[in-house]
Amino acid sequence: MGARAMHYVANTTSIPVPRVHMALSSNNCRHIVMEKVDGVTLDYAIHNDYLSRDYLTSIVHQLKDIVTQLRGIGKSLGNRTCGSWPSGTCKHYFFLGFRPQIPDEMATVSEFLDY
């Protein structure tokens, strides 16, 4: 799911996402082989005074834009607040092998809990 999400975000937003080369599973572990992005973490840069106040303000605005875009992805579900991304019914180990048959059966979290 992570590789699919990264691909979707990269293709539907302007959020910078490392390019995914491959996704695989081995011994119940999932792996994503992706592009390496050079740099240091924001936490490290802040605590080691790598960033000017103006640059840090710019980063805050960029992060706000990223969060806004990520929240916008959910609007593709319409009125549904519960389901599997990017569309469909809930697919989770909670259902133990059976899944709801009607895609819009659970439009809200309350309906999910009632189910």
Side-chain angles (χ1 to χ4, degrees):
M1 181 57 121
R4 244 178 97 194
M6 290 174 68
H7 180 75
Y8 185 82
V9 167
N11 287 313
T12 60
T13 71
S14 64
I15 298 170
V17 178
R19 191 176 71 217
V20 174
H21 297 290
M22 176 190 324
L24 56 111
S25 294
S26 175
N27 299 325
N28 285 333
C29 290
R30 294 182 181 175
H31 306 275
I32 300 174
V33 180
M34 68 181 97
E35 169 185 38
K36 181 179 184 239
V37 178
D38 290 324
V40 298
T41 65
L42 181 58
D43 179 59
Y44 184 87
I46 290 170
H47 287 95
N48 289 285
D49 295 322
Y50 284 5
L51 307 172
S52 69
R53 186 163 182 83
D54 288 341
Y55 196 74
L56 190 55
T57 299
S58 173
I59 291 171
V60 168
H61 290 290
Q62 291 173 46
L63 290 173
K64 180 180 182 276
D65 179 57
I66 288 170
V67 170
T68 299
Q69 289 185 63
L70 289 174
R71 286 181 175 163
I73 290 172
K75 292 180 180 171
S76 66
L77 294 174
N79 291 330
R80 291 181 40 207
T81 58
C82 190
S84 288
W85 176 89
S87 63
T89 57
C90 293
K91 297 175 185 169
H92 193 273
Y93 68 88
F94 180 79
F95 290 110
L96 301 175
F98 65 93
R99 295 196 171 94
Q101 298 298 312
I102 304 168
D104 292 327
E105 182 176 343
M106 291 181 285
T108 66
V109 173
S110 295
E111 289 176 14
F112 171 78
L113 294 174
D114 288 343
Y115 179 82

